[in-house]
Amino acid sequence: MSDEQPEGELVVRVQPMPADLNSAGDVFGGWVMSQMDLGSSVLAVRRAQGGRVATVAVDAMHFVRPVRVGDLFNCYGRIVREGRTSVTIRVEAWVERQGTFDLEKVTQADFTFVALDKEGQPTPLPTESPE
Ligand SMILES: CC(C)(COP(=O)(O)OP(=O)(O)OC[C@H]1O[C@@H](n2cnc3c(N)ncnc32)[C@H](O)[C@@H]1OP(=O)(O)O)[C@@H](O)C(=O)NCCC(=O)NCCS
């Protein structure tokens, strides 16, 4: 078993439901991606001090392990890059397996968000991060 541990702040903790499964009984990759998008947006919105943000890019994702119904699905996020108007959040997805509570990393990806003004145009990130 790997000694790797999750890095970052817990931003999503949810149990997939039967409607989130494919015909083979595993959770859809798209469901995993959407949870990671939602989780990383928590950190992006906080960095934008509550302002509007939009996902502009997601780096390549490699699904290393399946997510199954009954598992507890967790996302951990951290800021890994800041630009003028954009911020990149690295999100790791981990599951706690039903019954055993074994913690396994499922995938990770970098989500880049752009801070937007009222017109939906890129706007500089606030200079000060809130504590
Ligand atoms: C976000 C959006 C307003 C950016 O418009 P744009 O014309 O690309 O803006 P810019 O070229 O000024 O780039 C803005 C920032 O995004 C970054 N960016 C743009 N495309 C990127 C990409 N493919 N990957 C990483 N960063 C990217 C730029 O580097 C820049 O960051 P910086 O200011 O920190 O250097 C526009 O692409 C958009 O509306 N996209 C749709 C967003 C959306 O609806 N997402 C939800 C999923 S549908």
Side-chain angles (χ1 to χ4, degrees):
M1 183 180 284
S2 163
D3 289 335
E4 189 181 7
Q5 292 295 315
E7 277 194 70
E9 180 180 340
L10 182 65
V11 286
V12 168
R13 189 165 169 82
V14 66
Q15 217 167 20
M17 292 290 136
D20 306 317
L21 305 184
N22 62 26
S23 55
D26 293 327
V27 171
F28 282 113
W31 181 88
V32 171
M33 284 187 71
S34 81
Q35 297 299 322
M36 293 170 77
D37 193 15
L38 284 168
S40 52
S41 76
V42 169
L43 299 185
V45 168
R46 190 165 72 194
R47 179 60 189 85
Q49 298 186 1
R52 180 175 167 189
V53 300
T55 314
V56 72
V58 185
D59 77 354
M61 289 182 75
H62 174 202
F63 294 98
V64 185
R65 308 233 182 284
V67 181
R68 304 191 187 95
V69 73
D71 292 344
L72 198 52
F73 178 87
N74 302 304
C75 291
Y76 297 83
R78 60 199 152 100
I79 292 176
V80 291
R81 188 201 62 86
E82 288 188 18
R84 193 178 76 87
T85 66
S86 67
V87 57
T88 301
I89 316 288
R90 179 155 303 155
V91 191
E92 299 182 3
W94 290 72
V95 290
E96 289 171 50
R97 295 295 183 198
Q98 185 176 33
T100 65
F101 303 107
D102 286 343
L103 197 59
E104 292 183 13
K105 188 173 180 179
V106 175
T107 187
Q108 81 168 39
D110 289 351
F111 286 70
T112 298
F113 293 83
V114 178
L116 301 177
D117 63 17
K118 287 193 174 66
E119 282 71 47
Q121 295 304 308
T123 190
L125 290 166
T127 47
E128 297 283 318
S129 292
E131 290 302 318

